[in-house]
Amino acid sequence: MENIRVFVQLENKISKKPYGIIKLKDIANIYCIDEKLMEELLNIQITTVKDQKNQVISVIEVIKCIDKTSKNLDIVVFGSPEILVNIKENNYKNPTAEYIKVVAVSFLLFIGAAIAIINFHEDVNMEGAFDQIYLIVTGEKVKGENLLMEIPYSIGLSIGMLSFFNHIMKKRYKKEPSPLEIETFMYKKNIDDYVLENAKQNNSS
């Protein structure tokens, strides 16, 4: 009898509640010619969620569970060799407290960014540079505040930051992701990689 080929595409990461059951359909997409067999495979129990922060499921464990269902399967696996199971806790979050946190963090970031820009301008003597540019262009020295240079510069700085982050209010004017989104993605990816390695070490010990 010819073996039935089963294609299995594993996820990189899933989230589950403690003590829940993890089935194949929770961690993978599969395809085979036999639809009845495919439905049966999707409902295979792979493991149960333990009472710990994170858990790792290896591709070998998945193959063993599939192989128990039928010996006449040719399993082709795609995707990550290990799936990270993030244990979700049922913690109630107060919307008011979350809103206050967002406002507080936004305020601190705004003050920090303003101080950084001010210090940068002081270090490079931006005021003197504006006066020199004004002298070169007009041939006259600045009398009082150099608002003719400072106001357009401030407006241009704001427009430049909006352009850099690729967002104007809630609208995106370019299809590619912004630098902030890329940095956030890389940060989350690095965290997942660290948590995966840490969970593997805890499981092996």
Side-chain angles (χ1 to χ4, degrees):
M1 181 180 178
E2 186 178 357
N3 290 350
I4 300 175
R5 180 165 292 184
V6 179
F7 297 92
V8 181
Q9 184 179 25
L10 297 175
E11 301 286 348
N12 295 322
K13 176 183 176 182
I14 65 168
S15 297
K16 278 287 183 180
K17 294 181 180 180
Y19 307 109
I21 296 174
I22 299 177
K23 296 183 178 181
L24 183 59
K25 62 183 178 182
D26 297 323
I27 61 173
N29 294 317
I30 71 169
Y31 172 76
C32 67
I33 297 176
D34 191 335
E35 293 186 1
K36 184 177 180 181
L37 175 62
M38 186 168 65
E39 187 68 26
E40 182 180 351
L41 293 175
L42 284 171
N43 288 289
I44 293 176
Q45 180 176 334
I46 303 298
T47 185
T48 56
V49 180
K50 300 175 183 177
D51 184 20
Q52 60 188 43
K53 290 185 177 179
N54 298 289
Q55 190 173 338
V56 178
I57 302 174
S58 69
V59 65
I60 301 299
E61 186 177 354
V62 175
I63 292 174
K64 287 180 179 178
C65 292
I66 296 175
D67 199 46
K68 289 178 182 177
T69 303
S70 176
K71 298 295 182 181
N72 299 321
L73 297 178
D74 183 9
I75 304 171
V76 181
V77 181
F78 301 94
S80 175
E82 291 150 338
I83 303 104
L84 175 63
V85 182
N86 185 23
I87 310 302
K88 296 192 300 184
E89 298 180 359
N90 296 324
N91 293 334
Y92 172 74
K93 294 184 178 180
N94 189 340
T96 304
E98 293 295 313
Y99 178 78
I100 293 174
K101 288 180 183 178
V102 171
V103 172
V105 171
S106 300
F107 177 75
L108 291 175
L109 290 175
F110 176 80
I111 296 298
I115 292 174
I117 293 173
I118 292 171
N119 289 335
F120 169 76
H121 287 167
E122 287 295 322
D123 289 341
V124 301
N125 191 19
M126 187 64 74
E127 184 178 358
F130 285 156
D131 293 344
Q132 190 66 28
I133 293 172
Y134 185 86
L135 177 62
I136 293 173
V137 174
T138 64
E140 299 178 358
K141 289 187 177 181
V142 179
K143 297 178 181 179
E145 295 291 333
N146 194 355
L147 299 179
L148 187 63
M149 297 293 297
E150 293 174 359
I151 292 176
Y153 173 78
S154 300
I155 296 173
L157 182 64
S158 302
I159 295 174
M161 292 299 294
L162 289 174
S163 301
F164 179 76
F165 287 110
N166 192 17
H167 277 81
I168 299 176
M169 297 302 179
K170 293 183 179 180
K171 293 185 179 180
R172 183 194 300 268
Y173 66 90
K174 289 192 292 187
K175 291 184 179 179
E176 64 264 19
S178 69
L180 181 61
E181 289 173 327
I182 293 174
E183 288 298 323
T184 303
F185 171 79
M186 294 303 300
Y187 174 73
K188 290 181 178 179
K189 187 176 184 301
N190 290 335
I191 288 179
D192 288 343
D193 291 341
Y194 170 79
V195 171
L196 180 62
E197 289 299 323
N198 190 46
K200 285 167 59 179
Q201 292 177 5
N202 291 336
N203 290 345
S204 60
S205 61

